Amino acid sequence: METSNLILTEVKNQTGIITLNNPEKKNALTSAMLNQIILSLQDLEKEKVRAVIIRAEKGVNVWSAGHDIDELPLNGIDPLGQEKPLERALNAIQVFPAPVIAMVEGSVWGGACDMAITCDMVIGSPDCTFAITPAKIGVPYNASGILHFINRLGLSHAKEMFFTGAPIDSEAALHFGIVNHIVENDKIEEFTFKLAEKISHNSPLSINVIKEQFRILTNAHPITPNAFEHIESLRRKVYCSDDYKEGINSFKEKRRPDFKGK
Ligand code: YXS
């Protein structure tokens, strides 16, 4: 097993396994961890694995606490720009030539929730929960991320998750379409590895081209340059706002945010 200090990577029976490994920070998605995930996917592609499982250590109570809030920029830079490690990691999952399966135990927050639903399938334990939190922190989420949720959950469930920012439990996650299956904690590893093994016996070329068509078709939402510029100007106002700074600072100061709408 190859270990960079924030993730563990191994290959078993043509399945790559990436284990998030920063428990001190609740597997918060730091730039360093995200860059290691991207490099690990590149290595696993070279090994021609037939599936990848992204997981945390067995039995964690937090799968990932989401984007590292300490790394959210406060200087008027887009926190979710396409060049950022989180967006590059989400793209790396989408273009990986084999199915990527998120095996989730514990709670999933913010950008990690986007990462889980960007995977091709999610297998959750009964204690898994999912929350998309930009509204709680004052972050203007981006169009590509919102589209991931619309595609996975449909409009009404996606809106409920974004507007409340509240965690949903495994039953709701199954109902909303976030998870494919809920499997008991003591059986989830075997279930997920068997799913990967089932995939590994099929044609990798066929699966690759089917996965790429899923990606192209689900992202096929042409918008005009005006619409794109409108979105970006609205988002800029938010990540340059006092509320955005208040959301981040309130987390760091461990207090409830006091949003003023400006
Ligand atoms: O106080 P110390 O120094 O020990 O550090 C604490 C937490 O501050 C830290 N930590 C984080 N640091 C940076 N970014 C994070 N996302 C983050 N989450 C946690 O880790 C240490 C242990 O956390 P603690 O004491 O709170 O553990 P706990 O078991 O009591 O609670 C676990 C959580 C996950 C429920 C709690 O840490 C939490 O609510 N974390 C924030 C979850 C969240 O809102 N994530 C969204 C991040 S922003 C994001 O993903 C996108 C930009 S967006 O907002 O757009 O979705």
Side-chain angles (χ1 to χ4, degrees), residues 75 175 199 259:
N75 55 357
H175 173 62
I199 291 167
F259 294 124

Side-chain angles (χ1 to χ4, degrees), residues 24-26 28 61-62 65-70 72 80 109-111 132-134 137 139 141 251 254:
E24 296 71 41
K25 215 164 183 182
K26 304 294 174 179
N61 63 347
V62 179
H67 195 294
D68 184 336
I69 294 172
D70 298 324
L72 288 174
L80 298 172
W109 303 83
I132 182 68
T133 49
I137 299 186
V139 171
Y141 219 66
F251 177 81
K254 299 190 188 299

